[in-house]
Amino acid sequence: MADVCSLRSVEKSQCIYVCVLLLVLTSFASGLDTCIEVKSAISQKGLDENEVPVKAISGSDLAICPHSESCCTQTLENQLTLHGRKEHTAQLNKTFNLIQRTFIHRRRKFDEFFKDLITHAAQGLDEMFLETYGVLYRQNDHIFGALFNQLRLYYGGEDMNLMSVMQHFFDNLLIKMFQLINNLQVTDDRYMRCLTDNMDKLKPFGDVPTKLGTHVQRAFIAARTFVQGLAVGSRVVA
């Protein structure tokens, strides 16, 4: 439907353009015995001035030009229509190309900006935790690396639930912390599953998982929607 409406809008604009052009040309004939000025105007448009009659003639068989006497003929009318459509299409393409380049440029800049934010966040967290926990953190940094990889995949278009991603991260973090703190206690998968299933009751991290998950979800949904919208926009005007 949008394409049909757009096409009709273009056709209407072309018609208006041609009408104005023809009316301007025919106005030269008003009060004149010859069509010299019209021949000159037609020549400047790159059309054949020989199609212009020497004197104003009846326009009873014309579709756009006035039906009274004018310097317009059916052949000239058709040529001007084609010429007007060509010029109008060229102007539209020029405008659309500019809009498309704008969409592409802004999408690329935002994409680079947001990916840099993710990278800097990962690096900043890595440096802070390494300085605080040293080798203990380095031996388990894959938990954090997996989280940021999931976030990158989501931003890139992967279909996943970010709240579930964050929950999975804190589940793994809880298990690893429990194992490190209780390294002498023997536990099995069933015990660990019970531990994570009751995280909402135990709240080992307080309300951090919920708050952080909400903030991450809002930021990434907005960023992904925005960058995808810019990509769609560049294709629509192509």
Side-chain angles (χ1 to χ4, degrees):
M1 177 62 74
D3 291 339
V4 173
C5 292
S6 177
L7 180 59
R8 289 177 178 173
S9 177
V10 170
E11 291 175 345
K12 183 178 180 181
S13 299
Q14 291 173 345
C15 181
I16 293 174
Y17 177 87
V18 172
C19 287
V20 171
L21 182 59
L22 290 172
L23 287 174
V24 169
L25 293 179
T26 54
S27 67
F28 282 126
S30 178
L32 298 176
D33 293 329
T34 66
C35 298
I36 297 176
E37 290 85 354
V38 176
K39 283 180 175 288
S40 176
I42 289 296
S43 178
Q44 291 175 9
K45 286 292 180 181
L47 301 177
D48 186 4
E49 65 177 56
N50 293 324
E51 295 295 337
V52 181
V54 177
K55 293 184 177 182
I57 60 176
S58 173
S60 59
D61 58 341
L62 302 179
I64 301 177
C65 290
H67 290 179
S68 58
E69 289 190 349
S70 71
C71 297
C72 191
T73 64
Q74 277 189 331
T75 301
L76 185 58
E77 196 175 55
N78 292 335
Q79 288 183 357
L80 287 171
T81 300
L82 293 175
H83 182 75
R85 181 179 293 113
K86 181 179 178 181
E87 286 194 347
H88 182 72
T89 300
Q91 288 297 321
L92 282 179
N93 289 338
K94 182 179 179 181
T95 302
F96 286 154
N97 288 338
L98 175 61
I99 296 174
Q100 183 185 35
R101 289 196 299 271
T102 301
F103 273 119
I104 292 174
H105 173 72
R106 292 186 177 179
R107 181 194 180 282
R108 183 174 64 251
K109 297 299 291 184
F110 180 82
D111 187 58
E112 292 173 354
F113 166 75
F114 198 77
K115 285 179 177 177
D116 283 344
L117 284 182
I118 299 175
T119 299
H120 291 156
Q123 291 175 346
L125 185 145
D126 183 76
E127 293 172 359
M128 180 182 69
F129 275 45
L130 182 60
E131 183 178 349
T132 304
Y133 301 105
V135 177
L136 193 62
Y137 162 73
R138 183 57 72 209
Q139 292 174 342
N140 300 281
D141 61 0
H142 60 277
I143 297 175
F144 298 88
L147 171 63
F148 282 99
N149 286 337
Q150 289 290 93
L151 294 178
R152 290 188 181 93
L153 289 174
Y154 175 84
Y155 174 70
E158 288 286 332
D159 184 19
M160 61 181 70
N161 187 311
L162 284 181
M163 292 301 289
S164 296
V165 169
M166 297 303 297
Q167 184 63 49
H168 183 68
F169 164 73
F170 280 104
D171 285 349
N172 289 337
L173 187 60
L174 174 61
I175 291 174
K176 182 55 62 176
M177 290 179 64
F178 183 86
Q179 290 173 339
L180 292 174
I181 295 174
N182 303 278
N183 59 341
L184 298 180
Q185 182 176 344
V186 178
T187 58
D188 55 15
D189 292 341
R190 181 180 178 184
Y191 185 92
M192 289 302 178
R193 187 164 55 253
C194 177
L195 183 66
T196 56
D197 287 345
N198 289 278
M199 181 182 283
D200 290 340
K201 297 178 181 179
L202 298 173
K203 292 188 179 299
F205 303 107
D207 59 356
V208 172
T210 301
K211 287 186 176 180
L212 184 59
T214 300
H215 289 317
V216 168
Q217 182 171 251
R218 288 176 179 173
F220 274 78
I221 288 177
R224 189 171 81 164
T225 301
F226 182 65
V227 78
Q228 288 178 346
L230 291 175
V232 171
S234 66
R235 293 195 296 270
V236 168
V237 299

